[in-house]
Amino acid sequence: MKKIFSKMDVDKLLHIINKCDDIVERTNVAPENQFLQLATLRLKKGIKFRPHQHIWKPSPTENIIAQESWVVIQGSVKVYMYDIDGTLLETEIINKGDCSMTFEGGHTYEILEEDTIVYEYKTGPYLGIENDKKFL
């Protein structure tokens, strides 16, 4: 797992790149204080989980930010990760089974192969583009 921190605020985690080969047993990838949560699991045949449902709970904050994750299903993607002031921090190529997470800062993606397929996850609710992002 690669963690990318702000150069403006060195304690602020902005992005995570998690490669498929990084996955061993259960690992909580996202810190607990982030809105977007991710755990990776490498499981053995026959494991079964206790049935459950998730419950509504009060939100710990009134202010929320859209956080985003891409999981590559097929193909490859170049991820550009930006600091909170809009300067480019790093780029990384993610392939099948890899994921990127953005908590703060900016990002963009360049698709490197035809027929690339990704799952995109974002925190919601979605209240329209004007309430979701500003362009760098």
Side-chain angles (χ1 to χ4, degrees), residues 2 6 12 14-17 29 34 37 44 77 115:
K2 182 176 186 178
S6 171
K12 187 178 288 257
L14 302 179
H15 311 276
I16 289 178
I17 298 292
V29 176
Q34 296 297 337
Q37 291 293 301
K44 293 181 177 15
V77 176
D115 296 320

Side-chain angles (χ1 to χ4, degrees), residues 72-78 93-96 110-118:
V72 178
I73 303 305
Q74 174 179 298
S76 59
V77 176
K78 187 170 186 180
I93 294 175
I94 56 175
N95 299 294
K96 182 178 178 178
E110 179 182 350
I111 307 308
L112 301 178
E113 297 180 45
E114 286 297 325
D115 296 320
T116 291
I117 299 172
V118 301

Side-chain angles (χ1 to χ4, degrees), residues 30-95:
E32 291 179 357
N33 65 331
Q34 296 297 337
F35 296 108
L36 187 61
Q37 291 293 301
L38 172 68
T40 57
L41 298 92
R42 184 172 295 267
L43 304 168
K44 293 181 177 15
K45 181 179 177 179
I47 289 179
K48 188 174 181 182
F49 295 92
R50 188 173 165 194
H52 65 281
Q53 66 185 46
H54 295 272
I55 59 174
W56 287 95
K57 54 192 171 273
S59 174
T61 179
E62 291 182 21
N63 293 323
I64 58 171
I65 187 170
Q67 297 179 332
E68 185 174 325
S69 178
W70 273 32
V71 178
V72 178
I73 303 305
Q74 174 179 298
S76 59
V77 176
K78 187 170 186 180
V79 184
Y80 296 79
M81 296 163 280
Y82 296 85
D83 208 331
I84 54 178
D85 68 347
T87 59
L88 182 65
L89 285 169
E90 292 193 33
T91 63
E92 185 82 28
I93 294 175
I94 56 175
N95 299 294

